[in-house]
Amino acid sequence: MSPPSAIYQNEVHGFEVGGAVKAKTLPHAFKDNGLNGVNDLPAKDSVLLETFAGKWDDFTFAPIRESTVSRAMTRRYFSDLDTYAESDVVIVGAGSAGLSAAYVLAKARPDLKIAIIEHLSALVVDVGSVDSCSVLCVPPDDLEVKYADEGNYVVVHHAAYFMSTLLSKVLAFPNVKLFNATAVEDLITRPTSDNSVRIAGVVTNWTLVTLHHDDHSCMDPNTINAPLVISTTGHDGPFGAFSAKRLAGFGAVNLGGMRPLDMVTAEDAIVKGTREVVKGLIMAGMELSELDGGNRMGPTFGAMVLSGLKAAEEALNVWEQRKEECA
Ligand code: AHZ
């Protein structure tokens, strides 16, 4: 019979490896990937390979109880929900614009609590291109990803490489929490003295719940208060352009509707149009094309990076100007 869970001692979980360590190195796979002009990063030896190679017969995992795993996860998750119920900035959408904004903001202001809400459970979303590489008209030097320099643009050999590097850097900041598989269902508003509204946070739910409001009884949502929301929900789609459509729904903005593709026009327009569209809500990335009637862009991502960067800069300015209100 298992011991009562309330008094059960957590085991220490780890690896047990016997025998001598066999030194091995990883093949330096990235050194020659066929791209011209790729900037080289030093390849590192694999500690795991050195530790485990040739010792699989002696290897066994230390035992772990299922409840220990559950508690390790749920305790932290619900503690994070509690901590981030009052956030300094909420970023809606973990695409290239949202993650770029998060990276710049978290790096510049380690004192700010930044919650990212992403409705997908599996991330690294901008890999839907059959070409798999990522074209950017600005080199992603901050991220230390390798790229082929083609003059006016650079090519990262896989979009997932670019996005997953960005994501991993963002998640390494201690002041950032990503709530994935979570949808923003609504905005929180407050009246302003000029009879308008300011955005004061977001209403969230687990995505699977959000998707089933129509065929189950409606489930109460969660809320996150924040003086600043950066909305980067992409162009229209099942979830896209969320804030633009919600704001238009109660007359706070007019929707321009995205126009057909024009890459050059679109890139400039998105970066220039990145701004606080209503008090407390900064919009960035392709969501702006739905708001402003901008062109579709196609698969080039430099404007997403710079729009995210500009949104972060705008957020820092707003904080400086409205410190008391934002505090
Ligand atoms: O899942 C969405 C995606 O990851 C997420 N999202 C949308 N609505 C949400 C909601 N709650 C939570 N209500 C939500 N998350 O927002 C993310 C948007 O990422 P994206 O890559 O679609 O937008 P982006 O503006 O960062 O980059 C756009 C990339 C594109 S699309 C395009 C074209 O079709 O022509 N061209 C470019 C450069």
Side-chain angles (χ1 to χ4, degrees), residues 94-95 99-100 103 116 122-125 143 160-173 176 178:
L99 289 178
S100 297
Y103 176 77
I116 306 174
L123 291 173
V124 189
V125 288
L143 299 181
Y161 169 47
F162 169 66
M163 286 299 287
S164 60
T165 305
L166 178 57
L167 180 61
S168 71
K169 301 251 177 201
V170 166
L171 294 183
F173 288 114
V176 172
L178 168 68

Side-chain angles (χ1 to χ4, degrees), residues 22-23 45 67 157 159 184 206 210 264 297 299 327:
K22 235 186 185 176
D45 295 343
S67 61
H157 72 273
V184 169
W206 286 316
T210 298
V264 176
M297 186 170 304

Side-chain angles (χ1 to χ4, degrees), residues 26-41:
L26 264 188
H28 291 188
F30 283 120
K31 282 218 158 150
D32 178 19
N33 61 8
L35 289 174
N36 289 332
V38 167
N39 51 334
D40 228 340
L41 299 175

Side-chain angles (χ1 to χ4, degrees), residues 177-237:
K177 172 67 189 179
L178 168 68
F179 294 98
N180 57 315
T182 304
V184 169
E185 291 190 342
D186 210 341
L187 301 168
I188 300 174
T189 58
R190 297 278 185 268
T192 57
S193 49
D194 59 355
N195 285 332
S196 155
V197 290
R198 87 177 156 83
I199 305 304
V202 294
V203 178
T204 70
N205 225 324
W206 286 316
T207 299
L208 288 176
V209 175
T210 298
L211 290 172
H212 287 277
H213 283 315
D214 289 342
D215 52 43
H216 276 60
S217 58
C218 193
M219 289 277 289
D220 282 339
N222 191 28
T223 54
I224 300 181
N225 283 108
L228 263 182
V229 172
I230 300 179
S231 189
T232 64
T233 66
H235 62 68
D236 203 3

Side-chain angles (χ1 to χ4, degrees), residues 4-327:
S5 54
I7 58 160
Y8 190 78
Q9 295 294 311
N10 290 349
E11 311 95 340
V12 178
H13 184 55
F15 302 112
E16 285 172 2
V17 186
V21 170
K22 235 186 185 176
K24 285 210 173 182
T25 53
L26 264 188
H28 291 188
F30 283 120
K31 282 218 158 150
D32 178 19
N33 61 8
L35 289 174
N36 289 332
V38 167
N39 51 334
D40 228 340
L41 299 175
K44 286 189 180 141
D45 295 343
S46 166
V47 174
L48 273 183
L49 200 58
E50 284 184 15
T51 310
F52 290 102
K55 288 182 298 228
W56 301 112
D57 288 345
D58 303 329
F59 167 84
T60 178
F61 281 105
I64 188 164
R65 192 172 170 78
E66 288 77 5
S67 61
T68 305
V69 177
S70 293
R71 284 173 172 162
M73 293 164 67
T74 53
R75 191 191 306 130
R76 286 170 177 80
Y77 181 74
F78 286 103
S79 160
D80 283 340
L81 276 182
D82 183 299
T83 305
Y84 284 83
E86 284 283 352
S87 291
D88 294 311
V89 180
V90 172
I91 296 176
V92 191
S96 43
L99 289 178
S100 297
Y103 176 77
V104 175
L105 205 51
K107 199 170 181 187
R109 290 290 298 265
D111 56 316
L112 296 186
K113 232 192 298 176
I114 302 163
I116 306 174
I117 313 295
E118 168 53 56
H119 97 94
L120 294 174
S121 52
L123 291 173
V124 189
V125 288
D126 280 337
V127 292
S129 156
V130 285
D131 304 326
S132 82
C133 63
S134 200
V135 175
L136 293 104
C137 295
V138 53
D141 286 336
D142 266 27
L143 299 181
E144 297 167 0
V145 293
K146 295 185 298 179
Y147 54 81
D149 193 339
E150 301 282 358
N152 280 352
Y153 65 95
V154 302
V155 181
V156 179
H157 72 273
H158 204 294
Y161 169 47
F162 169 66
M163 286 299 287
S164 60
T165 305
L166 178 57
L167 180 61
S168 71
K169 301 251 177 201
V170 166
L171 294 183
F173 288 114
N175 55 330
V176 172
K177 172 67 189 179
L178 168 68
F179 294 98
N180 57 315
T182 304
V184 169
E185 291 190 342
D186 210 341
L187 301 168
I188 300 174
T189 58
R190 297 278 185 268
T192 57
S193 49
D194 59 355
N195 285 332
S196 155
V197 290
R198 87 177 156 83
I199 305 304
V202 294
V203 178
T204 70
N205 225 324
W206 286 316
T207 299
L208 288 176
V209 175
T210 298
L211 290 172
H212 287 277
H213 283 315
D214 289 342
D215 52 43
H216 276 60
S217 58
C218 193
M219 289 277 289
D220 282 339
N222 191 28
T223 54
I224 300 181
N225 283 108
L228 263 182
V229 172
I230 300 179
S231 189
T232 64
T233 66
H235 62 68
D236 203 3
F239 272 84
F242 171 80
S243 302
K245 289 190 285 189
R246 188 66 184 102
L247 290 170
F250 63 93
V253 298
N254 292 316
L255 271 190
M258 187 169 68
R259 293 177 191 178
L261 193 145
D262 177 345
M263 214 173 258
V264 176
T265 310
E267 287 216 288
D268 281 350
I270 292 293
V271 177
K272 289 202 172 102
T274 302
R275 65 193 186 280
E276 190 178 21
V277 296
V278 297
K279 207 169 181 194
L281 190 138
I282 295 166
M283 197 173 284
M286 283 306 283
E287 184 169 5
L288 281 164
S289 65
E290 298 290 351
L291 181 72
D292 293 337
N295 290 94
R296 190 164 186 194
M297 186 170 304
T300 170
F301 293 91
M304 299 302 107
V305 173
L306 289 188
S307 176
L309 193 154
K310 191 176 172 199
E313 183 194 15
E314 183 85 6
L316 295 173
N317 291 337
V318 171
W319 268 94
E320 284 310 311
Q321 287 161 14
R322 297 192 218 135
K323 265 185 191 138
E324 270 109 69
E325 206 181 312
C326 285

